[in-house]
Amino acid sequence: MYLESMTIDEIMELIENKGYMSFETMAIMEEIECSKRIYDRLIATQGTGTAGGFVLENAVVRYYLFQLDQLKSRLPYDAMGGQFVVPILLMQEFRDSSTVNKVRSFCGPNVYLSEREIKGEIQKFITVHLDPQGIVLYMDILGHLSDMKEKEEKDNRQSLAKRWEVAFGKRKKTCRA
């Protein structure tokens, strides 16, 4: 929902405005984790067949793997910085407005994919798999969530101590000899 319709910058601004413990941040985190699992599994199986009804995801992954193979055959992947150039070229390819038609034609005429759904899936794939900002966003959310949970636990301990004081009065310090 968020990854399909918003850019990384918009997502980062939303998180900054709402906070790291907001419902929106948790939903974005869940979307990222779920999408990463799906794409990683499809890439690991080389995109063969449509696994478990992931038609859109599989179409985008198959097109990605095809483009990756094309670029690797044209560019020296290991020599002269090819391992850095190929991901940049892939991201540019996926951000091109004609990518929707390319994915459609790559999948063939037998598969019906709507333009809006393909655009959303491409946006999600870019955010989760290709864009380094997406990885940075994911790590940022993870880092802040652990900080926020620690703060929340500390606040809970302090509020428990305050409730104890209200109910039973302040503890007196005693000196033992």
Side-chain angles (χ1 to χ4, degrees):
M1 180 172 114
Y2 293 99
L3 299 179
E4 294 173 8
S5 60
M6 299 173 77
T7 65
I8 290 285
D9 295 329
E10 292 170 340
I11 291 172
M12 292 171 88
E13 187 176 323
L14 175 74
I15 290 171
E16 192 174 303
N17 291 338
K18 296 282 184 166
Y20 286 94
M21 292 299 288
S22 68
F23 171 78
E24 290 84 358
T25 303
M26 297 302 165
I28 290 168
M29 182 71 164
E30 181 65 29
E31 270 187 76
I32 290 172
E33 288 177 349
C34 182
S35 298
K36 282 181 77 54
R37 284 192 299 267
I38 291 169
Y39 293 135
D40 289 345
R41 187 177 67 206
L42 289 174
I43 289 171
T45 60
Q46 299 299 309
T48 56
T50 56
F54 298 119
V55 177
L56 279 172
E57 292 90 344
N58 196 45
V60 172
V61 166
R62 284 181 47 222
Y63 183 70
Y64 161 76
L65 293 172
F66 170 73
Q67 287 297 324
L68 185 63
D69 287 341
Q70 293 292 316
L71 285 171
K72 282 182 179 181
S73 67
R74 288 186 207 144
L75 296 171
Y77 192 70
D78 293 330
M80 302 185 56
Q83 71 270 26
F84 302 112
V85 174
V86 169
I88 292 169
L89 292 174
L90 280 170
M91 199 161 68
Q92 288 173 349
E93 169 69 25
F94 271 81
R95 285 190 174 150
D96 186 19
S97 60
S98 65
T99 303
V100 173
N101 294 328
K102 291 178 184 177
V103 169
R104 238 192 222 153
S105 64
F106 181 77
C107 290
N110 299 343
V111 179
Y112 172 74
L113 303 171
S114 77
E115 184 175 339
R116 185 183 58 79
E117 289 175 331
I118 293 174
K119 280 183 181 177
E121 196 61 40
I122 287 172
Q123 176 66 35
K124 189 182 344 176
F125 184 74
I126 288 171
T127 303
V128 171
H129 192 73
L130 293 177
D131 195 353
Q133 264 190 312
I135 296 166
V136 170
L137 171 71
Y138 180 67
M139 298 308 287
D140 182 48
I141 293 172
L142 281 178
H144 278 86
L145 286 180
S146 63
D147 292 344
M148 294 298 286
K149 285 179 183 175
E150 287 174 11
K151 182 180 179 277
E152 190 175 283
E153 288 173 4
K154 181 181 173 188
D155 290 345
N156 285 340
R157 284 192 300 265
Q158 287 176 346
S159 68
L160 182 62
K162 286 181 184 178
R163 283 186 290 185
W164 178 268
E165 282 181 23
V166 168
F168 301 108
K170 202 168 190 176
R171 293 176 72 185
K172 294 180 183 177
K173 293 185 180 181
T174 58
C175 294
R176 293 187 181 187

